[in-house]
Amino acid sequence: MSIFELPDFDGHEQVVFASDSQSGLKAIIAIHNTHRGPAMGGCRMWAYPDSTAAATDALRLARGMTYKNAMAGLPIGGGKAVIIGDARTSKSPELFRALGRAIDQLGGRYITAEDVGTSPADMTFVREQTRYVAGLSGDLGGTGDPSPATALGVFVGIEAAVRHRLGVDSVNGLTVAVQGLGHVGYDLARRLHEAGARLIVADIDRANGERAAAQFGARIVAPDEIVDAQADVFAPCALGAVLNRQTLPRLKCSVVAGAANNQLATDDIGEMLRDAGVLYAPDYVINAGGIIKVCAEYLQEPVDSVEDRVRAISGTLDEVFQMAERDGIATSRAADTLARARFA
Ligand code: NAD
C-alpha cells in the first residue's frame, strides 16, 4: 500500500504510522491541513480489516475535519487518528498512553479528542503523556460531553433551513422526523419539542423511541420507515450515507438537516437533492457545535462564549444557502467552495 496512491489522499501534509509492541498499539495519524492552526480531530478505534482500510478512513476523516473546522471559523486545521483494534476487547490504559506518546512527538501539530470507539476516560491516559488532547472529563479541566453543543447547533441550523426554504421563523407547528435518539438526537428532539415541533422518531433501540414518545409526545416509526416519514424536516442523527440512490426517491420532506457525519453516500447526491427540491444543510457545517466546544476547551476560552459561537452556525448556513441559490449549485458544493477559501 502506498498512501499517495490511495483515492482518499488529498495532499495531506503528514501521515504517521505509530506502533507499540508492548501495548499492541497500531495507529495512523493523518494531518490534512494546518493553514488555520494545528490539526484537531478525534481518535477513532475500529476493527479495520487491514491497514489500507484504516489509512483510507484516517485520510477521509482528517480531510473532513479541515472543512468542518474552517467552516466553523476555528483557528485549527484538520486531522484525525485511528487505532486499529476492537474497542470492546482491545482497550488498555497502556494503549492510550502509547498513543499519547506518539501524539506528543508531533509537537502540537495534531490535537486529539474522543471519537467513535473512544471516550473521555480513554483520553485521561492520553493526557498522562501529552497535553495535545481535548474533550476531557470535568475532573481533568475538561468540559465533558460535547453532544449538547452539537444538538444546539443542529437546532439553530434547522431553524435557518426552514426560514430559507419555508419562510417561517420557527419550527413551531412543523413536523420533524429524527433518525437516531442517541446523545445528539435525543437532546435535539427535546429542543424541537420545546419549540413546538411535532416529532416522528426512530431508533434501533426501542427504549429510546419510547422515552421520546413519553416525554415529547413523539410518534414512533420503524427504523427502516423514518426516511419515508411525512415531515417538513428529516434530521439524520444516526448513521452516515443515509442519503443515497435508494433513500432519495422516498424522502417526503423539504429540508434535510441533522447531526450525522457523511450523510451523502456520494458527492452527486448533493445535486440530486437540489434537483428534487430538498434543501440540504451540509453535515459538517450544521454538526460543528461539538468541535466548537472542544476547541474552546483546548484553547481555554470562556465557556460562556461557546453558546454564541454555536448559534452562529445559523448564519454560516445562511451564507451557504444563499451562495447555492445565487450560483445554481448544490448546498454541499457551496459549502465545500466556501470552506476551501477559508483554509487555502
Ligand atoms: P450515539 O451513538 O449516541 O447515537 C446514535 C443513535 O442512533 C443510537 O441511539 C442508536 O441506537 C441509533 N441508531 C443506530 N442505527 C440506527 C438506525 N439504523 N436507525 C435509527 N437509529 C439508529 O451517537 P451521537 O453522539 O448521538 O451521534 C449521532 C451522529 O452525529 C453520528 O453520526 C455522529 O458521528 C454525529 N456527530 C456527533 C457529534 C457529537 O457531538 N456527539 C458531533 C458531530 C457529529
PDB file of all heavy atoms in Angstrom, residues 3-24:
ATOM      1  N   ILE A   3       0.426   5.306   0.504  1.00  0.00           N
ATOM      2  CA  ILE A   3      -0.526   6.347   0.915  1.00  0.00           C
ATOM      3  C   ILE A   3      -0.856   7.276  -0.249  1.00  0.00           C
ATOM      4  O   ILE A   3      -2.009   7.630  -0.485  1.00  0.00           O
ATOM      5  CB  ILE A   3       0.095   7.156   2.085  1.00  0.00           C
ATOM      6  CG1 ILE A   3       0.013   6.358   3.377  1.00  0.00           C
ATOM      7  CG2 ILE A   3      -0.565   8.509   2.235  1.00  0.00           C
ATOM      8  CD1 ILE A   3      -1.357   6.297   3.993  1.00  0.00           C
ATOM      9  N   PHE A   4       0.180   7.649  -0.995  1.00  0.00           N
ATOM     10  CA  PHE A   4      -0.016   8.659  -2.040  1.00  0.00           C
ATOM     11  C   PHE A   4      -0.959   8.191  -3.145  1.00  0.00           C
ATOM     12  O   PHE A   4      -1.574   9.001  -3.816  1.00  0.00           O
ATOM     13  CB  PHE A   4       1.335   9.052  -2.648  1.00  0.00           C
ATOM     14  CG  PHE A   4       2.267   9.653  -1.640  1.00  0.00           C
ATOM     15  CD1 PHE A   4       3.518   9.101  -1.422  1.00  0.00           C
ATOM     16  CD2 PHE A   4       1.894  10.756  -0.899  1.00  0.00           C
ATOM     17  CE1 PHE A   4       4.376   9.650  -0.490  1.00  0.00           C
ATOM     18  CE2 PHE A   4       2.743  11.308   0.044  1.00  0.00           C
ATOM     19  CZ  PHE A   4       3.994  10.748   0.258  1.00  0.00           C
ATOM     20  N   GLU A   5      -1.055   6.881  -3.321  1.00  0.00           N
ATOM     21  CA  GLU A   5      -1.920   6.366  -4.396  1.00  0.00           C
ATOM     22  C   GLU A   5      -3.351   6.092  -3.915  1.00  0.00           C
ATOM     23  O   GLU A   5      -4.218   5.775  -4.735  1.00  0.00           O
ATOM     24  CB  GLU A   5      -1.345   5.068  -4.982  1.00  0.00           C
ATOM     25  CG  GLU A   5      -0.363   5.303  -6.125  1.00  0.00           C
ATOM     26  CD  GLU A   5       1.000   5.759  -5.627  1.00  0.00           C
ATOM     27  OE1 GLU A   5       1.563   5.036  -4.776  1.00  0.00           O
ATOM     28  OE2 GLU A   5       1.473   6.834  -6.039  1.00  0.00           O
ATOM     29  N   LEU A   6      -3.602   6.163  -2.630  1.00  0.00           N
ATOM     30  CA  LEU A   6      -4.974   5.891  -2.162  1.00  0.00           C
ATOM     31  C   LEU A   6      -5.923   6.972  -2.692  1.00  0.00           C
ATOM     32  O   LEU A   6      -5.557   8.153  -2.721  1.00  0.00           O
ATOM     33  CB  LEU A   6      -5.028   5.874  -0.625  1.00  0.00           C
ATOM     34  CG  LEU A   6      -4.373   4.660   0.053  1.00  0.00           C
ATOM     35  CD1 LEU A   6      -4.475   4.784   1.571  1.00  0.00           C
ATOM     36  CD2 LEU A   6      -5.024   3.368  -0.407  1.00  0.00           C
ATOM     37  N   PRO A   7      -7.139   6.581  -3.108  1.00  0.00           N
ATOM     38  CA  PRO A   7      -8.065   7.573  -3.669  1.00  0.00           C
ATOM     39  C   PRO A   7      -8.375   8.714  -2.705  1.00  0.00           C
ATOM     40  O   PRO A   7      -8.685   9.823  -3.147  1.00  0.00           O
ATOM     41  CB  PRO A   7      -9.335   6.755  -3.960  1.00  0.00           C
ATOM     42  CG  PRO A   7      -8.920   5.330  -3.927  1.00  0.00           C
ATOM     43  CD  PRO A   7      -7.673   5.222  -3.125  1.00  0.00           C
ATOM     44  N   ASP A   8      -8.299   8.450  -1.387  1.00  0.00           N
ATOM     45  CA  ASP A   8      -8.637   9.500  -0.425  1.00  0.00           C
ATOM     46  C   ASP A   8      -7.454  10.395  -0.067  1.00  0.00           C
ATOM     47  O   ASP A   8      -7.591  11.294   0.758  1.00  0.00           O
ATOM     48  CB  ASP A   8      -9.238   8.880   0.838  1.00  0.00           C
ATOM     49  CG  ASP A   8     -10.652   8.412   0.585  1.00  0.00           C
ATOM     50  OD1 ASP A   8     -11.557   9.256   0.592  1.00  0.00           O
ATOM     51  OD2 ASP A   8     -10.851   7.212   0.318  1.00  0.00           O
ATOM     52  N   PHE A   9      -6.304  10.136  -0.664  1.00  0.00           N
ATOM     53  CA  PHE A   9      -5.176  11.047  -0.418  1.00  0.00           C
ATOM     54  C   PHE A   9      -5.453  12.364  -1.135  1.00  0.00           C
ATOM     55  O   PHE A   9      -5.752  12.385  -2.320  1.00  0.00           O
ATOM     56  CB  PHE A   9      -3.858  10.440  -0.901  1.00  0.00           C
ATOM     57  CG  PHE A   9      -2.701  11.350  -0.634  1.00  0.00           C
ATOM     58  CD1 PHE A   9      -2.198  11.494   0.648  1.00  0.00           C
ATOM     59  CD2 PHE A   9      -2.150  12.104  -1.660  1.00  0.00           C
ATOM     60  CE1 PHE A   9      -1.148  12.376   0.900  1.00  0.00           C
ATOM     61  CE2 PHE A   9      -1.103  12.989  -1.417  1.00  0.00           C
ATOM     62  CZ  PHE A   9      -0.601  13.116  -0.136  1.00  0.00           C
ATOM     63  N   ASP A  10      -5.363  13.463  -0.374  1.00  0.00           N
ATOM     64  CA  ASP A  10      -5.767  14.767  -0.904  1.00  0.00           C
ATOM     65  C   ASP A  10      -4.701  15.807  -0.520  1.00  0.00           C
ATOM     66  O   ASP A  10      -5.008  16.830   0.062  1.00  0.00           O
ATOM     67  CB  ASP A  10      -7.153  15.115  -0.302  1.00  0.00           C
ATOM     68  CG  ASP A  10      -7.642  16.490  -0.692  1.00  0.00           C
ATOM     69  OD1 ASP A  10      -7.625  16.803  -1.888  1.00  0.00           O
ATOM     70  OD2 ASP A  10      -8.033  17.257   0.218  1.00  0.00           O
ATOM     71  N   GLY A  11      -3.456  15.458  -0.789  1.00  0.00           N
ATOM     72  CA  GLY A  11      -2.393  16.399  -0.434  1.00  0.00           C
ATOM     73  C   GLY A  11      -2.223  16.545   1.070  1.00  0.00           C
ATOM     74  O   GLY A  11      -1.815  17.618   1.541  1.00  0.00           O
ATOM     75  N   HIS A  12      -2.521  15.506   1.822  1.00  0.00           N
ATOM     76  CA  HIS A  12      -2.350  15.565   3.280  1.00  0.00           C
ATOM     77  C   HIS A  12      -0.903  15.960   3.620  1.00  0.00           C
ATOM     78  O   HIS A  12       0.035  15.459   2.994  1.00  0.00           O
ATOM     79  CB  HIS A  12      -2.665  14.205   3.911  1.00  0.00           C
ATOM     80  CG  HIS A  12      -4.124  13.860   3.873  1.00  0.00           C
ATOM     81  ND1 HIS A  12      -4.818  13.641   2.702  1.00  0.00           N
ATOM     82  CD2 HIS A  12      -5.037  13.701   4.885  1.00  0.00           C
ATOM     83  CE1 HIS A  12      -6.081  13.362   2.992  1.00  0.00           C
ATOM     84  NE2 HIS A  12      -6.242  13.397   4.299  1.00  0.00           N
ATOM     85  N   GLU A  13      -0.774  16.820   4.626  1.00  0.00           N
ATOM     86  CA  GLU A  13       0.564  17.304   4.964  1.00  0.00           C
ATOM     87  C   GLU A  13       1.453  16.216   5.549  1.00  0.00           C
ATOM     88  O   GLU A  13       2.658  16.181   5.313  1.00  0.00           O
ATOM     89  CB  GLU A  13       0.460  18.442   5.985  1.00  0.00           C
ATOM     90  CG  GLU A  13      -0.144  19.705   5.411  1.00  0.00           C
ATOM     91  CD  GLU A  13      -0.274  20.795   6.456  1.00  0.00           C
ATOM     92  OE1 GLU A  13       0.323  20.693   7.555  1.00  0.00           O
ATOM     93  OE2 GLU A  13      -0.994  21.775   6.180  1.00  0.00           O
ATOM     94  N   GLN A  14       0.854  15.331   6.326  1.00  0.00           N
ATOM     95  CA  GLN A  14       1.670  14.355   7.052  1.00  0.00           C
ATOM     96  C   GLN A  14       0.790  13.171   7.449  1.00  0.00           C
ATOM     97  O   GLN A  14      -0.357  13.353   7.860  1.00  0.00           O
ATOM     98  CB  GLN A  14       2.214  15.033   8.317  1.00  0.00           C
ATOM     99  CG  GLN A  14       3.306  14.301   9.030  1.00  0.00           C
ATOM    100  CD  GLN A  14       3.876  15.148  10.187  1.00  0.00           C
ATOM    101  OE1 GLN A  14       3.347  16.214  10.522  1.00  0.00           O
ATOM    102  NE2 GLN A  14       4.925  14.657  10.790  1.00  0.00           N
ATOM    103  N   VAL A  15       1.343  11.987   7.318  1.00  0.00           N
ATOM    104  CA  VAL A  15       0.651  10.780   7.787  1.00  0.00           C
ATOM    105  C   VAL A  15       1.660   9.971   8.596  1.00  0.00           C
ATOM    106  O   VAL A  15       2.757   9.683   8.118  1.00  0.00           O
ATOM    107  CB  VAL A  15       0.116   9.934   6.612  1.00  0.00           C
ATOM    108  CG1 VAL A  15      -0.630   8.707   7.135  1.00  0.00           C
ATOM    109  CG2 VAL A  15      -0.802  10.762   5.717  1.00  0.00           C
ATOM    110  N   VAL A  16       1.292   9.659   9.820  1.00  0.00           N
ATOM    111  CA  VAL A  16       2.232   8.984  10.720  1.00  0.00           C
ATOM    112  C   VAL A  16       1.681   7.617  11.113  1.00  0.00           C
ATOM    113  O   VAL A  16       0.520   7.503  11.504  1.00  0.00           O
ATOM    114  CB  VAL A  16       2.424   9.842  12.005  1.00  0.00           C
ATOM    115  CG1 VAL A  16       3.282   9.108  13.016  1.00  0.00           C
ATOM    116  CG2 VAL A  16       3.042  11.182  11.643  1.00  0.00           C
ATOM    117  N   PHE A  17       2.509   6.602  10.986  1.00  0.00           N
ATOM    118  CA  PHE A  17       2.151   5.264  11.462  1.00  0.00           C
ATOM    119  C   PHE A  17       2.816   5.080  12.820  1.00  0.00           C
ATOM    120  O   PHE A  17       4.039   5.234  12.921  1.00  0.00           O
ATOM    121  CB  PHE A  17       2.637   4.192  10.476  1.00  0.00           C
ATOM    122  CG  PHE A  17       1.864   4.193   9.192  1.00  0.00           C
ATOM    123  CD1 PHE A  17       2.078   5.174   8.237  1.00  0.00           C
ATOM    124  CD2 PHE A  17       0.910   3.222   8.945  1.00  0.00           C
ATOM    125  CE1 PHE A  17       1.349   5.196   7.056  1.00  0.00           C
ATOM    126  CE2 PHE A  17       0.177   3.233   7.762  1.00  0.00           C
ATOM    127  CZ  PHE A  17       0.401   4.222   6.813  1.00  0.00           C
ATOM    128  N   ALA A  18       2.026   4.775  13.836  1.00  0.00           N
ATOM    129  CA  ALA A  18       2.593   4.615  15.179  1.00  0.00           C
ATOM    130  C   ALA A  18       2.302   3.210  15.682  1.00  0.00           C
ATOM    131  O   ALA A  18       1.166   2.737  15.585  1.00  0.00           O
ATOM    132  CB  ALA A  18       1.968   5.649  16.117  1.00  0.00           C
ATOM    133  N   SER A  19       3.327   2.555  16.198  1.00  0.00           N
ATOM    134  CA  SER A  19       3.064   1.234  16.789  1.00  0.00           C
ATOM    135  C   SER A  19       3.848   1.086  18.082  1.00  0.00           C
ATOM    136  O   SER A  19       4.854   1.774  18.310  1.00  0.00           O
ATOM    137  CB  SER A  19       3.419   0.122  15.805  1.00  0.00           C
ATOM    138  OG  SER A  19       4.813  -0.017  15.734  1.00  0.00           O
ATOM    139  N   ASP A  20       3.313   0.215  18.935  1.00  0.00           N
ATOM    140  CA  ASP A  20       3.954  -0.048  20.231  1.00  0.00           C
ATOM    141  C   ASP A  20       3.706  -1.516  20.543  1.00  0.00           C
ATOM    142  O   ASP A  20       2.561  -1.935  20.739  1.00  0.00           O
ATOM    143  CB  ASP A  20       3.327   0.862  21.295  1.00  0.00           C
ATOM    144  CG  ASP A  20       3.875   0.569  22.674  1.00  0.00           C
ATOM    145  OD1 ASP A  20       5.051   0.868  22.920  1.00  0.00           O
ATOM    146  OD2 ASP A  20       3.120  -0.001  23.499  1.00  0.00           O
ATOM    147  N   SER A  21       4.787  -2.296  20.551  1.00  0.00           N
ATOM    148  CA  SER A  21       4.600  -3.747  20.657  1.00  0.00           C
ATOM    149  C   SER A  21       4.076  -4.154  22.031  1.00  0.00           C
ATOM    150  O   SER A  21       3.302  -5.112  22.152  1.00  0.00           O
ATOM    151  CB  SER A  21       5.899  -4.481  20.324  1.00  0.00           C
ATOM    152  OG  SER A  21       6.936  -3.967  21.116  1.00  0.00           O
ATOM    153  N   GLN A  22       4.446  -3.421  23.067  1.00  0.00           N
ATOM    154  CA  GLN A  22       4.011  -3.824  24.412  1.00  0.00           C
ATOM    155  C   GLN A  22       2.503  -3.700  24.603  1.00  0.00           C
ATOM    156  O   GLN A  22       1.854  -4.585  25.140  1.00  0.00           O
ATOM    157  CB  GLN A  22       4.732  -2.986  25.455  1.00  0.00           C
ATOM    158  CG  GLN A  22       6.133  -3.532  25.696  1.00  0.00           C
ATOM    159  CD  GLN A  22       6.710  -3.065  26.999  1.00  0.00           C
ATOM    160  OE1 GLN A  22       6.315  -2.022  27.515  1.00  0.00           O
ATOM    161  NE2 GLN A  22       7.645  -3.841  27.526  1.00  0.00           N
ATOM    162  N   SER A  23       1.949  -2.587  24.138  1.00  0.00           N
ATOM    163  CA  SER A  23       0.509  -2.370  24.334  1.00  0.00           C
ATOM    164  C   SER A  23      -0.300  -2.896  23.152  1.00  0.00           C
ATOM    165  O   SER A  23      -1.516  -3.010  23.233  1.00  0.00           O
ATOM    166  CB  SER A  23       0.225  -0.884  24.494  1.00  0.00           C
ATOM    167  OG  SER A  23       0.582  -0.207  23.303  1.00  0.00           O
ATOM    168  N   GLY A  24       0.388  -3.182  22.032  1.00  0.00           N
ATOM    169  CA  GLY A  24      -0.321  -3.628  20.828  1.00  0.00           C
ATOM    170  C   GLY A  24      -0.851  -2.481  19.991  1.00  0.00           C
ATOM    171  O   GLY A  24      -1.647  -2.696  19.069  1.00  0.00           O
TER     172      GLY A  24
END
